[in-house]
Amino acid sequence: MAMESIRLELTEGTSWLSRKIVKHEMNRHASLLETVKKREEQYRDSLGWLDVEEWAGEEWLSKCEKLAAYVKERADVLVVVGIGGSNQAARAVAEAIGEKSSVKLVFSGNNISADDICSVVKQLEDKRVFINVIAKNFETLEPGICFWALRNILREKYGAAYSDHVICTGTIGSHFERLSKDEGYHFLPFPDNIGGRYTALSPVGLFPLAVAGIDIRKMAHGGKKMQERLYRESAEENIALEYAVVRNLLYQKGFRMEMLSFFEPRYYRFAKWWRQLFGESEGKDNKGLYPVYGSFSEDLHSIGQFIQEGTAVIFETFLNVEKTEPSFILRHDGLDDRFVYLDGMDFTDINRAAYEATVAAHSKRLPCMKLTVPAIDEESFGQLFYFYEFTCYLSAKLLGVNPFDQPGVEAYKQYMFQKLGKPQTVDCRKQLEDEGRIA
Ligand code: PA5
């Protein structure tokens, strides 16, 4: 019978941690699990994701679907403008599952490359275009200037009616919302009680996916199912606590990197989402595991050497898919190319053999875990998002850091803003007027 939910296993040969120690630590942290489930007061402004119903319940699902239906009738392309937590979850799902509607999603606003923005603009030629600008603070430079560039393209295409082609996802009461109202843009709320990297199951992640024809109800269902499971499972059997405890024990033993390895390249963008979630949530106060990913089997031919024999700082979590589609069978064509021994085999089976072989080889050298998901589909993504967010919260608590801030990200920005001559005052317009730079 096919599995329905995520499964976590420490691989055979993991001599670094005994089952007994892991269980003991899970029991020892039973009160942490209860604390996290009850919504800590100190993080109340960051825990809007903890109950999936709050931002992915009927109200927001139907609002996203309704606006998505409007866009789907009128667009060939939706440009999703955002960076970090404001675009990675939607991109992860869109690039793994693929668009199911006639609207193509293009992701932008996540870099400052002229080459990249030119390539985005080129993709919009002769197309019916909408843009979804996603920004919690609307102070981040990358999406800010991308929006500026793209709204001018929209003005050229649609004149004054361009505003009907803009959907802003922003914080209620913010400058962005006021601007959106003044210009007559469509508006969706960016949850005021969730930070970017935890917003997968909210209008931030769900609206663009609804436009792409992805079943956001199935995603929300997956998230809710995982929430119920993590609230139901006791400390001794709780899958999120187990993963968090294992990470922490390995960190204490001197491991400094976790590698998320996968044999389906479609997970590439998901791995980037995962990397941000853990990197930004845990990498502070001179602590944390550095999150890296490996897209196998390709990367086995580049970093596989380091993993097997390099500095012993890595442990590995394999993201394994139980049921993959499609299949592709090799048929003998009469040519003796020395691969004939694989005649009649499916790529899927060969990939599975490579996966099992890699787990076996790596387990001899480093601690390995297997996280098995039923399939690459909407429900699995819902489960994965909730699972990782919950685990990350637990894991950061075990490490003794704030899971929801990212103060270190500001450092480079100060140097950049200085170079670019950004006015120090909040009222930029007034300062620019005083300087005579705008009328
Ligand atoms: O997780 C986070 O909070 C950050 O990665 C933000 O998502 C990112 O910096 C983008 O922020 P904003 O939406 O305000 O532009």
Side-chain angles (χ1 to χ4, degrees):
M1 199 179 80
M3 64 183 282
E4 284 196 340
S5 195
I6 291 173
R7 202 171 59 224
L8 181 73
E9 293 157 82
L10 279 172
T11 64
E12 297 296 323
T14 300
S15 51
W16 292 266
L17 291 177
S18 75
R19 195 100 299 277
K20 203 170 145 205
I21 288 174
V22 174
K23 283 279 168 216
H24 176 264
E25 281 296 287
M26 287 168 74
N27 280 318
R28 204 165 73 78
H29 292 296
S31 63
L32 172 69
L33 181 63
E34 290 313 308
T35 305
V36 158
K37 287 197 302 201
K38 284 190 187 125
R39 279 197 187 219
E40 289 180 282
E41 187 53 28
Q42 62 170 323
Y43 296 131
R44 67 196 295 269
D45 292 341
S46 306
L47 290 172
W49 55 272
L50 200 55
D51 182 7
V52 177
E53 195 58 29
E54 189 172 337
W55 288 102
E58 185 53 40
E59 181 189 359
W60 293 113
L61 288 173
S62 48
K63 281 187 178 154
C64 287
E65 284 170 343
K66 201 169 156 208
L67 188 52
Y70 182 83
V71 174
K72 277 194 275 188
E73 271 180 26
R74 294 163 178 80
D76 302 313
V77 175
L78 174 73
V79 187
V80 184
V81 179
I83 195 164
S86 289
N87 90 355
Q88 302 235 66
R91 192 168 195 179
V93 180
E95 294 194 8
I97 296 183
E99 289 97 343
K100 293 182 177 177
S101 77
S102 59
V103 185
K104 181 177 162 44
L105 297 190
V106 170
F107 290 87
S108 191
N110 56 334
N111 59 58
I112 315 171
S113 155
D115 179 59
D116 197 64
I117 189 76
C118 287
S119 131
V120 169
V121 169
K122 197 153 180 44
Q123 292 178 62
L124 308 183
E125 281 169 12
D126 307 321
K127 295 282 189 310
R128 297 175 303 154
V129 181
F130 275 67
I131 63 176
N132 179 203
V133 187
I134 309 173
K136 181 156 189 172
N137 300 313
F138 198 53
E139 283 173 7
T140 311
L141 186 138
E142 290 89 339
I145 59 173
C146 178
F147 175 33
W148 184 355
L150 295 184
R151 68 179 177 254
N152 285 333
I153 301 284
L154 290 180
R155 274 202 196 95
E156 280 167 24
K157 269 183 186 282
Y158 305 112
Y162 94 99
S163 57
D164 188 43
H165 292 251
V166 180
I167 300 104
C168 296
T169 306
T171 308
I172 291 177
S174 66
H175 165 64
F176 193 30
E177 189 200 15
R178 279 195 300 281
L179 190 142
S180 172
K181 276 196 177 139
D182 289 350
E183 290 296 307
Y185 302 148
H186 302 271
F187 186 81
L188 281 170
F190 193 120
D192 53 353
N193 58 356
I194 316 185
R197 57 190 179 272
Y198 290 83
T199 54
L201 299 173
S202 82
V204 173
L206 297 175
F207 169 70
L209 292 173
V211 174
I214 304 282
D215 191 334
I216 59 171
R217 282 177 189 270
K218 283 192 182 153
M219 272 181 72
H221 177 71
K224 282 178 206 157
K225 206 161 127 180
M226 182 52 73
Q227 179 187 344
E228 279 160 21
R229 176 177 173 187
L230 298 181
Y231 272 68
R232 188 183 63 241
E233 285 178 347
S234 68
E236 203 184 39
E237 57 178 2
N238 194 282
I239 184 177
L241 185 62
E242 182 176 12
Y243 184 32
V245 156
V246 170
R247 297 178 91 248
N248 192 263
L249 287 171
L250 292 172
Y251 181 70
Q252 287 177 42
K253 283 182 179 290
F255 291 95
R256 289 293 175 261
M257 295 169 101
E258 179 181 9
M259 171 170 273
L260 183 71
S261 301
F262 47 92
F263 280 75
E264 290 298 335
R266 288 197 275 161
Y267 272 134
Y268 168 67
R269 287 282 165 189
F270 177 75
K272 289 193 74 149
W273 172 85
W274 168 87
R275 184 179 68 164
Q276 181 195 350
L277 179 69
F278 280 89
E280 243 180 9
S281 301
E282 293 198 313
K284 54 196 70 156
D285 304 339
N286 297 308
K287 296 188 210 173
L289 287 161
Y290 186 68
V292 293
Y293 48 76
S295 181
F296 294 166
S297 62
E298 181 181 4
D299 289 343
L300 290 171
H301 298 264
S302 61
I303 48 169
Q305 169 62 36
F306 192 102
I307 299 167
Q308 197 75 51
E309 295 180 354
T311 318
V313 288
I314 307 173
F315 69 89
E316 199 169 11
T317 303
F318 288 91
L319 185 54
N320 172 40
V321 190
E322 193 182 58
K323 185 166 161 276
T324 54
E325 279 175 301
S327 81
F328 194 105
I329 295 172
L330 289 162
R331 300 270 178 231
H332 187 37
D333 62 357
L335 200 73
D336 182 13
D337 59 4
R338 296 188 185 168
F339 293 106
V340 175
Y341 67 98
L342 298 171
D343 182 27
M345 281 189 82
D346 195 315
F347 264 65
T348 304
D349 299 324
I350 302 170
N351 205 22
R352 178 142 300 276
Y355 160 70
E356 283 164 6
T358 308
V359 172
H362 290 188
S363 296
K364 292 264 181 289
R365 177 75 203 297
L366 51 135
C368 292
M369 280 183 276
K370 291 192 274 192
L371 190 74
T372 304
V373 300
I376 302 181
D377 60 13
E378 285 95 330
E379 180 166 330
S380 277
F381 272 111
Q383 289 197 37
L384 277 174
F385 285 132
Y386 194 87
F387 168 75
Y388 274 122
E389 287 168 15
F390 195 94
T391 304
C392 186
Y393 180 13
L394 283 170
S395 186
K397 295 278 297 177
L398 287 173
L399 197 61
V401 298
N402 180 336
F404 304 114
D405 67 357
Q406 57 281 333
V409 179
E410 294 308 310
Y412 93 92
K413 289 186 190 170
Q414 297 316 318
Y415 290 108
M416 178 178 71
F417 290 146
Q418 205 178 351
K419 276 184 184 297
L420 294 172
K422 183 183 178 185
Q424 295 298 307
T425 52
V426 177
D427 191 347
C428 298
R429 166 160 282 276
K430 185 164 182 324
Q431 176 149 348
L432 291 171
E433 276 170 5
D434 291 349
E435 288 170 5
R437 290 162 68 185
I438 57 170

